């Protein structure tokens, strides 16, 4: 074969091969363009880059349920009731009831198995702890807020706005001979003093008598007594010459009906009025104090009671104390309470 003919044949073969390749490419492009009815290129066939694995979702905690019974101090009641209501809003399966029978009766209720938690405006006594231990249980002491016992008079009383501890003792001490305001200080009205006081089961009564009279639960008896602080409020609000004392929250709630007495530790000391600030820094002496709850140790084993205490000691729960007229606990005290829960 001549070189010319060989080149002609080679050129023909190359041309034919090129045409086949172009045709094949055209067919592939046409298939891509019509796939799925759009001109969007087909998805790549390569394996996509690995995506971060999703963290396994936690199963929601089982909703708690049950009954929690609190009973005791009328002073602690506003705090405990506010916490109970908010806790039940968060945990609809738990029913929390708060009784109002006085500190001593609240402690009796946990001794007798009639309540899970006692509210008290005084420290629990050793004899009461022994009764609980004799029944095979124990109790845990937890402060819940700061309070200041507030001595109150009628709004129109413009003479006894400041008093010394000694003058208060003169009025409230056992076998007191004070009958009129003039018997307390010269120049005051010669009008009979009408006295309203917390009942004997009240922790406020016990604290006040010890702080002012020098002996707990020892005081004059010619008074109108009640475990319900609202009765005391109404008594003073209706009598220009009346006097009483109870927790700061009840005073703050009724400031339009009452006037608070500023207290002087002695004749030379400055008079200090009760307020959230003076109660919180204990400069309102000697009537600033902690108020408490006393859960039984056995009840703290129950999930609903543990959650209730945790909420009570949370920032949100503690803030409720401020909303009802008490000084919320500091974080260190709240943390110390939480450390008492079963681990």
């Amino acid at each position: 074969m001549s070189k010319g003919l060989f080149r002609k044949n080679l050129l023909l073969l190359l041309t034919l091969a090129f045409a086949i390749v172009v045709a094949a490419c055209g067919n592939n492009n046409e298939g891509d363009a019509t796939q799925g009815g759009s001109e969007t290129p087909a998805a790549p066939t390569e394996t996509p880059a690995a995506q971060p694995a999703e963290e396994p979702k936690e199963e929601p905690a089982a909703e708690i349920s049950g009954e929690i019974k609190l009973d005791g101090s009328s002073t602690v009641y506003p705090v405990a009731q506010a916490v109970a209501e908010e806790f039940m809003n968060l945990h609809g399966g738990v029913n929390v009831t708060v009784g109002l029978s006085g500190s001593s009766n609240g402690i009796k209720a946990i001794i007798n198995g009639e309540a899970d938690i006692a509210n008290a405006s005084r420290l629990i006594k050793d004899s009461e702890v022994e009764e609980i231990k004799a029944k095979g249980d124990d109790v845990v002491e937890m402060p819940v807020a700061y309070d200041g016992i507030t001595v109150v008079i009628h709004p129109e009383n413009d003479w006894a706005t400041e008093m010394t501890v000694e003058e208060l003792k003169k009025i409230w001490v056992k076998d007191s001979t004070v009958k009129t305001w003039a018997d307390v200080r010269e120049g005051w009205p010669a009008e009979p003093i009408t006295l309203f006081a917390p009942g004997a089961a009240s922790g406020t009564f016990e604290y006040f008598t010890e702080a002012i009279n020098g002996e707990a639960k020892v005081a004059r008896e010619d008074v109108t007594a009640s475990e319900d602080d609202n009765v005391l409020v109404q008594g003073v609000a209706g009598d220009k010459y009346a006097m009483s004392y109870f927790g700061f929250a009840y005073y703050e709630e009724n400031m339009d009906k009452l006037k608070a007495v500023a207290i002087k530790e002695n004749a030379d000391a400055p008079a200090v009025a009760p307020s959230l600030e003076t109660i919180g820094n204990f400069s309102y002496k000697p009537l600033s104090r902690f108020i408490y709850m006393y859960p039984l140790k056995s009840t703290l084993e129950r999930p609903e009671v543990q959650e209730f205490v945790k909420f009570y000691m949370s920032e949100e729960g503690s803030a409720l104390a401020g909303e009802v007229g008490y000084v919320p606990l500091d974080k260190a005290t709240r943390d110390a309470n939480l450390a008492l829960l079963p681990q």
Side-chain angles (χ1 to χ4, degrees):
M1 181 181 298
S2 67
K3 289 183 180 178
L5 183 58
F6 175 77
R7 287 177 180 166
K8 282 179 69 178
N9 287 340
L10 180 58
L11 182 59
L12 182 61
L13 287 172
L14 292 173
T15 301
L16 181 60
F18 178 75
I20 292 171
V21 170
V22 170
C25 290
N27 288 340
N28 286 342
N29 289 341
E30 181 180 340
D32 290 343
T34 58
Q35 188 174 352
S38 76
E39 296 184 359
T40 304
T45 58
E46 297 91 355
T47 303
Q51 299 297 317
E54 289 188 10
E55 294 184 7
K57 294 182 179 178
E58 291 185 10
E59 292 295 325
E63 181 55 49
I64 55 175
S65 61
E67 298 256 348
I68 306 174
K69 294 181 181 179
L70 295 85
D71 195 10
S73 168
S74 60
T75 302
V76 184
Y77 176 84
V79 185
Q81 185 62 31
V83 173
E85 289 176 0
E86 190 59 32
F87 181 77
M88 287 189 288
N89 287 338
L90 298 172
H91 302 282
V94 182
N95 184 45
V96 185
T97 57
V98 184
L100 190 82
S101 64
S103 298
S104 295
N105 289 330
I107 292 171
K108 283 180 185 176
I110 61 171
I111 291 172
N112 296 331
E114 298 165 349
D116 303 305
I117 298 172
N119 292 326
S121 56
R122 63 163 174 85
L123 291 170
I124 195 168
K125 298 174 183 176
D126 291 342
S127 59
E128 292 166 331
V129 174
E130 290 307 313
E131 284 189 70
I132 294 170
K133 288 183 176 180
K135 295 192 174 185
D137 209 334
D138 205 346
V139 70
V140 176
E141 181 178 289
M142 294 183 176
V144 296
Y146 302 93
D147 177 42
I149 297 176
T150 305
V151 178
V152 295
I153 52 179
H154 191 276
E156 293 180 18
N157 183 329
D158 58 2
W159 59 91
T161 56
E162 296 181 2
M163 297 184 72
T164 65
V165 170
E166 190 58 36
E167 287 172 331
L168 288 173
K169 180 177 181 178
K170 194 174 180 181
I171 295 170
W172 291 100
V173 73
K174 184 176 177 64
D175 301 323
S176 171
T177 59
V178 168
K179 300 297 180 184
T180 72
W181 284 102
D183 293 332
V184 181
R185 189 187 298 182
E186 186 178 352
W188 285 3
E191 297 288 345
I193 298 179
T194 309
L195 298 174
F196 295 85
S202 166
T204 297
F205 169 73
E206 187 161 341
Y207 191 99
F208 181 88
T209 51
E210 184 169 6
I212 300 299
N213 297 343
E215 189 173 356
K217 304 190 84 166
V218 177
R220 67 189 296 167
E221 297 176 356
D222 55 338
V223 304
T224 300
S226 176
E227 304 293 350
D228 186 348
D229 291 341
N230 291 302
V231 172
L232 310 182
V233 169
Q234 292 166 13
V236 177
D239 186 339
K240 180 177 178 179
Y241 300 102
M243 170 184 272
S244 187
Y245 60 88
F246 38 73
F248 181 74
Y250 284 93
Y251 162 68
E252 191 172 60
E253 188 179 332
N254 296 280
M255 291 175 68
D256 57 330
K257 306 173 189 173
L258 305 169
K259 184 184 290 185
V261 176
I263 307 299
K264 303 175 69 170
E265 280 196 277
N266 54 63
D268 297 324
V272 180
S275 69
L276 294 180
E277 181 181 357
T278 60
I279 292 167
N281 63 23
F282 284 85
S283 62
Y284 177 64
K285 299 175 182 178
L287 297 178
S288 295
R289 59 177 177 168
F290 280 117
I291 54 176
Y292 304 89
M293 68 174 171
Y294 288 94
L296 289 169
K297 274 194 173 181
S298 60
T299 67
L300 290 177
E301 299 290 342
R302 288 160 37 193
E304 71 274 19
V305 178
Q306 285 198 27
E307 290 305 314
F308 177 73
V309 173
K310 287 177 183 177
F311 177 72
Y312 213 144
M313 293 301 114
S314 68
E315 187 173 347
E316 179 184 359
S318 186
L320 293 172
E323 292 181 16
V324 295
Y326 295 84
V327 180
L329 290 179
D330 57 282
K331 188 175 184 303
T333 304
R334 289 188 281 119
D335 288 345
N337 285 341
L338 291 173
L340 297 172
L341 292 174
Q343 301 301 314

